[in-house]
């Protein structure tokens, strides 16, 4: 897992969710899922100060800074597509609405307002619209709704920032493992006027390329990373 400082980007994202009281996570695992499992298992053991008795092997954990999360690490298949991975979480999803993110970008999105926005607009899905540099694809917006969802760049400059709220009803729009969440589901919901867009004007940055990694590392090493809300 790519790290910012001493922690992977996923940890930074989960810290942000924790600020808003979201402390239970479902992580869809596929290729190299064992690395993610090992990371969280090891954090549970050595994330705080410990005392080890070499004679008995007994390990005592001491009070100290630690996260208070419940993390479900769910194997969703090696080749399952993005929508299919969400579908495989069906048995874990009890609430009418759930928050979803790709786990590859950090932002200062107000998750409380995002969730309230989603519920007030009564749509199946809400994406967070952000304005990154023009090298990304985009969204065309009509008021608070998405009129067109595209992976290719379009002139308005809004893109899906990856912080979403989905109603459980979206599972009915995902036939199976091969379903692509973006192309097969979100595009269709946009055409049906069932995809809302929450505009986020604050900080957002993905980690898709070595250039993105350097940008985030420079911000972190500068001592005041803008996404550090915890």
């Amino acid at each position: 897992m790519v790290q910012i400082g001493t922690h992977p980007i996923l940890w930074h994202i989960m810290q942000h969710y924790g600020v808003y009281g979201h402390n239970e996570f479902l992580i869809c695992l596929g290729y190299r899922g064992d690395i993610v499992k090992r990371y969280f298992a090891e954090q549970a053991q050595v994330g705080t100060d410990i005392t080890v008795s070499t004679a008995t092997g007994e390990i005592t954990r001491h009070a100290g800074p630690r996260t208070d999360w419940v993390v479900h690490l769910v194997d969703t298949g090696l080749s399952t597509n993005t929508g299919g991975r969400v579908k495989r979480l069906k048995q874990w999803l009890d609430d009418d609405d759930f928050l979803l993110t790709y786990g590859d970008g950090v932002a200062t999105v107000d998750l409380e307002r995002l969730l309230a926005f989603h519920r007030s607009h009564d749509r199946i899905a809400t994406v967070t619209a952000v304005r990154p540099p023009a090298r990304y694809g985009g969204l065309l917006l009509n008021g608070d709704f998405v009129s067109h969802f595209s992976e290719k760049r379009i002139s308005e400059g809004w893109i899906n920032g990856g912080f979403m709220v989905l109603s459980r009803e979206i599972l009915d729009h995902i036939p199976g493992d091969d379903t692509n969440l973006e192309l097969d589901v979100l595009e269709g919901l946009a055409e049906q006027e069932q995809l809302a867009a929450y505009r986020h004007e604050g900080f957002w940055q993905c980690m898709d390329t070595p250039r993105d990694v350097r940008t985030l590392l420079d911000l972190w090493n500068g001592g005041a990373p803008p996404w550090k809300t915890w």
Side-chain angles (χ1 to χ4, degrees):
M1 292 188 291
V2 180
Q3 293 184 306
I4 306 174
T6 58
H7 292 287
I9 189 171
L10 181 59
W11 181 89
H12 289 251
I13 296 169
M14 293 168 71
Q15 285 282 17
H16 180 65
Y17 275 84
V19 168
Y20 292 91
H22 302 290
N23 298 315
E24 185 171 4
F25 301 92
L26 289 162
I27 300 179
C28 299
L29 301 179
Y31 177 69
R32 302 310 300 271
D34 57 310
I35 294 177
V36 183
K37 289 181 179 179
R38 191 175 302 117
Y39 170 79
F40 284 101
E42 290 176 353
Q43 282 294 304
Q45 292 297 320
V46 300
T48 59
D49 295 338
I50 63 173
T51 298
V52 180
S53 171
T54 59
T56 64
E58 181 182 357
I59 298 176
T60 304
R61 299 177 64 195
H62 301 286
R66 68 177 71 176
T67 55
D68 184 15
W69 299 339
V70 175
V71 185
H72 307 284
L73 303 164
V74 184
D75 287 310
T76 54
L78 289 176
S79 58
T80 308
N81 213 325
T82 50
R85 293 188 189 280
V86 175
K87 181 80 168 186
R88 287 200 180 199
L89 298 181
K90 183 176 182 178
Q91 64 176 320
W92 299 85
L93 298 171
D94 298 324
D95 297 333
D96 291 335
D97 302 312
F98 59 96
L99 296 157
L100 177 72
T101 189
Y102 295 122
D104 63 354
V106 289
T108 54
V109 177
D110 187 320
L111 299 177
E112 185 175 335
R113 289 186 177 182
L114 170 62
L115 186 57
F117 178 93
H118 170 76
R119 289 172 173 168
S120 69
H121 285 74
D122 193 28
R123 292 300 189 269
I124 295 175
T126 297
V127 295
T128 296
V130 299
R131 288 182 183 272
R135 61 194 178 95
Y136 295 94
L139 306 173
L140 284 177
L141 304 184
N142 179 14
D144 288 332
F145 303 102
V146 180
S147 60
H148 183 74
F149 185 100
S150 175
E151 290 301 302
K152 297 182 180 180
R153 183 167 63 91
I154 50 182
S155 59
E156 189 172 342
W158 293 100
I159 72 159
N160 174 16
F163 289 81
M164 294 171 268
V165 184
L166 307 177
S167 298
R168 204 172 188 279
E169 184 181 346
I170 201 169
L171 300 177
D172 297 331
H173 294 259
I174 304 174
D177 283 357
D178 294 335
T179 306
N180 183 289
L181 180 65
E182 299 76 21
L183 300 178
D184 300 327
V185 181
L186 296 184
E187 284 192 4
L189 291 180
E191 293 174 358
Q192 300 166 32
E193 298 184 351
Q194 283 294 327
L195 183 60
Y198 173 81
R199 289 175 173 85
H200 172 64
E201 300 281 2
F203 179 84
W204 175 89
Q205 176 63 53
C206 66
M207 187 185 274
D208 291 339
T209 68
R211 173 187 174 185
D212 298 330
V213 175
R214 290 193 296 270
T215 296
L216 291 174
L217 283 175
D218 288 345
L219 290 171
W220 181 261
N221 293 331
W227 69 89
K228 191 175 184 296
T229 55
W230 58 93

